[in-house]
Amino acid sequence: MPSAISDFIDPDVLAEEKSGVNVYTKGKSGGTTVNVGHGGSPVVVTVPNKLIYRNAATETQIHDDPNVALFFLEKELRPGVKMNLQFMKTTLDFSQHFLTQKEAYAIPFSSTKLPEILDHFSVKPGSAEAEAMKTTLQECEEPAVRGERKYCATSLESMVEFSMSSLGTRDVTAMSTTVAKAVTPRQQYTVTGVKALAGDRLVACHPEAYAYAVFYCHATATSKAYTVGLLGADGVGVEAVAVCHTDTSAWNPNHVAFKVLKVKPGSVPVCHFLPDDSVVWSRSG
């Protein structure tokens, strides 16, 4: 089974501010490491491949981005189907982990406060790190795609709160893709098993480039999630989380998914495997 984010949550820290939250633990160690941490100097993490639905595709992305291959059609989710994929374990540095909710709330998180934020983290204005943080703030402030709710979580507690609110329950499960090896080649994978996650409402969260852990979360009632067993040609196994979007009519018509799959917005469900640095939340059960 793909690893549950709760495998990596410090229960004492979580209980400190979110008493009574039922985050179910499933699976094994591995995959996305998202812990609550205290102290230390935050570092900027770079996230080059984000699945933001309003973004248009570039020719470079289509030909060179390994995550492009993660898009597929829902009809391919059946045992025996073969896909050419490349899964890579995340290179993000989560050693600093999330700030606590109290710490995060004490720091501005707004593009209008960017100079103050850069000064707080001793980030040089105009640097690559500063530009990455600026982009993250702008993306977090853009309106949600029609039919979705969005939120940038600056703490684990706020991510859990948004997920519970969006799913309408305190009993939630968080899953992420688990890759058996740190580096795997682009190769043919065979689907060995498929299992649907409970419910038709999901919250998917993707890491952003910032001075501490920030996740771009979006909730939709027009998506399905699956856990998918994959076996590579070299014998490497991947326990992947797949999300299928049943309504893509509001997506950018030039989005990379439509270019790769050769379909039009709103015509068919569009699916993608989650990189192992992303998390999907669903109702438990």
Side-chain angles (χ1 to χ4, degrees):
M1 290 289 293
S3 60
I5 194 173
S6 47
D7 288 343
F8 308 102
I9 295 173
D10 181 338
D12 295 330
V13 175
L14 184 58
E16 177 182 308
E17 298 196 32
K18 284 305 302 173
S19 177
V21 175
N22 298 319
V23 180
Y24 283 71
T25 302
K26 293 183 180 179
K28 58 191 177 183
S29 298
T32 306
T33 303
V34 183
N35 295 312
V36 176
H38 297 271
S41 300
V43 296
V44 173
V45 295
T46 300
V47 188
N49 299 312
K50 292 179 291 185
L51 304 172
I52 305 301
Y53 309 139
R54 61 174 53 87
N55 287 354
T58 65
E59 288 303 314
T60 299
Q61 182 182 23
I62 292 173
H63 294 294
D64 300 335
D65 186 345
N67 278 2
V68 165
L70 300 182
F71 289 101
F72 59 94
L73 298 178
E74 190 174 22
K75 65 182 181 181
E76 297 178 81
L77 275 178
R78 63 183 192 277
V81 167
K82 300 182 185 300
M83 302 182 183
N84 290 318
L85 305 166
Q86 182 176 11
F87 288 95
M88 296 181 295
K89 290 188 70 63
T90 177
T91 57
L92 298 179
D93 181 2
F94 280 110
S95 61
Q96 301 300 328
H97 313 308
F98 278 111
L99 300 182
T100 65
Q101 191 171 45
K102 182 178 180 180
E103 291 169 334
Y105 283 172
I107 303 171
F109 191 79
S110 168
S111 56
T112 62
K113 299 287 187 179
L114 182 59
E116 180 181 341
I117 297 170
L118 296 180
D119 182 67
H120 180 89
F121 290 107
S122 300
V123 176
K124 184 178 179 180
S127 64
E129 292 83 1
E131 291 303 306
M133 292 171 65
K134 178 181 178 181
T135 298
T136 291
L137 289 170
Q138 291 173 339
E139 290 180 348
C140 288
E141 291 167 351
E142 290 178 352
V145 171
R146 187 182 73 244
E148 291 192 345
R149 299 177 65 202
K150 60 168 284 192
Y151 177 71
C152 280
T154 57
S155 69
L156 176 59
E157 294 86 353
S158 63
M159 184 193 290
V160 173
E161 288 172 348
F162 177 75
S163 299
M164 291 190 304
S165 172
S166 299
L167 297 173
T169 179
R170 297 179 70 82
D171 295 333
V172 296
T173 299
M175 307 293 289
S176 61
T177 293
T178 300
V179 184
K181 288 177 61 177
V183 179
T184 59
R186 181 181 175 87
Q187 62 179 323
Q188 188 176 79
Y189 284 86
T190 302
V191 177
T192 58
V194 180
K195 182 179 179 180
L197 295 184
D200 59 356
R201 300 172 66 183
L202 303 171
V203 176
C205 298
H206 313 286
E208 290 280 344
Y210 208 66
Y212 52 88
V214 172
F215 275 68
Y216 178 107
C217 299
H218 52 102
T220 176
T222 58
S223 294
K224 306 174 187 177
Y226 300 87
T227 57
V228 184
L230 297 164
L231 183 64
D234 64 354
V236 171
V238 175
E239 296 294 338
V241 175
V243 175
C244 293
H245 302 271
T246 57
D247 182 5
T248 61
S249 57
W251 290 23
N252 187 324
N254 292 317
H255 188 275
V256 62
F258 303 132
K259 299 291 186 181
V260 171
L261 300 176
K262 295 179 172 57
V263 297
K264 296 181 179 180
S267 60
V268 294
V270 170
C271 305
H272 61 84
F273 289 115
L274 287 184
D276 79 337
D277 56 8
S278 296
V279 183
V280 63
W281 297 79
S282 66
R283 294 179 177 182
S284 300

